Amino acid sequence: VPGEKARVIWGVTYPRFMDPFGALNKWDIASIMLYNGGVRYYTPVPNPILFGGRKLTPLEQEGVDGLRFIFGARGDTYVNTFVWICKELGIDGIVNYNMTGCTATLGLRRLVAERAEQELGIPTLQLEGKQFDTAFTDEPAITARLDEFAQYLLSTRQTS
């Protein structure tokens, strides 16, 4: 990306009541993708193995997708894949925006953050709220946290 100073990956979801990507773009930090669960979008459908190569019915396809999604897989599958994607895409930071009260993602986000920091030196910003509801957090609060994280990312990239 021309002019890109850093690259972040968003984990789980994002606050849909605002444009959080724009809050980072003003710092020339690219939000290159929204990583939304397990290995769902990053692995081939296991047709040859499980279904002998035949075309899946819509119901079978849903079953296969469900098996690859975070809630249908082990936590280590989610964590390992997330860290691998960070490495492969040259990610500089992670923004984990998790739904308030979601026990699956709130627990896994800590493991992702620890592994990414230990293995790749990638810091993580942990945010929590609802996708459409500002009762838990609002745009000014999120923007302030994103601004702090952007400044931190840029300062660490200048010193390395």
Side-chain angles (χ1 to χ4, degrees):
V1 176
E4 176 184 304
K5 294 180 182 170
R7 188 177 287 184
V8 301
I9 188 169
W10 283 75
V12 183
T13 190
Y14 63 97
R16 296 173 189 215
F17 52 81
M18 65 177 284
D19 173 19
F21 312 115
L24 291 171
N25 288 345
K26 73 182 178 190
W27 297 93
D28 295 323
I29 296 177
S31 297
I32 62 167
M33 66 187 299
L34 173 66
Y35 182 73
N36 196 1
V39 291
R40 180 179 184 124
Y41 304 110
Y42 303 99
T43 59
V45 175
N47 293 12
I49 298 167
L50 297 178
F51 298 97
R54 70 174 171 78
K55 182 171 172 48
L56 301 180
T57 69
L59 184 59
E60 289 170 333
Q61 185 63 53
E62 283 299 311
V64 167
D65 289 345
L67 288 172
R68 291 184 298 169
F69 192 63
I70 176 178
F71 302 110
R74 294 171 19 157
D76 61 340
T77 301
Y78 176 79
V79 174
N80 292 340
T81 305
F82 202 123
V83 172
W84 174 77
I85 289 169
C86 288
K87 182 178 179 182
E88 290 295 309
L89 297 178
I91 299 299
D92 301 300
I94 298 169
V95 178
N96 266 330
Y97 186 85
N98 298 86
M99 296 286 283
T100 301
C102 180
T103 56
T105 59
L106 290 174
L108 289 173
R109 75 180 187 168
R110 180 183 56 80
L111 298 175
V112 167
E114 288 174 0
R115 286 269 312 278
E117 180 68 37
Q118 290 170 356
E119 294 177 24
L120 306 172
I122 298 173
T124 300
L125 172 63
Q126 305 285 17
L127 298 172
E128 189 176 333
K130 297 286 186 178
Q131 291 178 331
F132 298 99
D133 186 355
T134 58
F136 296 92
T137 189
D138 59 14
E139 186 170 349
I142 292 172
T143 300
R145 298 278 313 275
L146 290 171
D147 285 344
E148 290 171 12
F149 190 61
Q151 292 172 33
Y152 173 77
L153 280 178
L154 295 177
S155 70
T156 58
R157 287 188 52 83
Q158 290 174 353
T159 60
S160 55

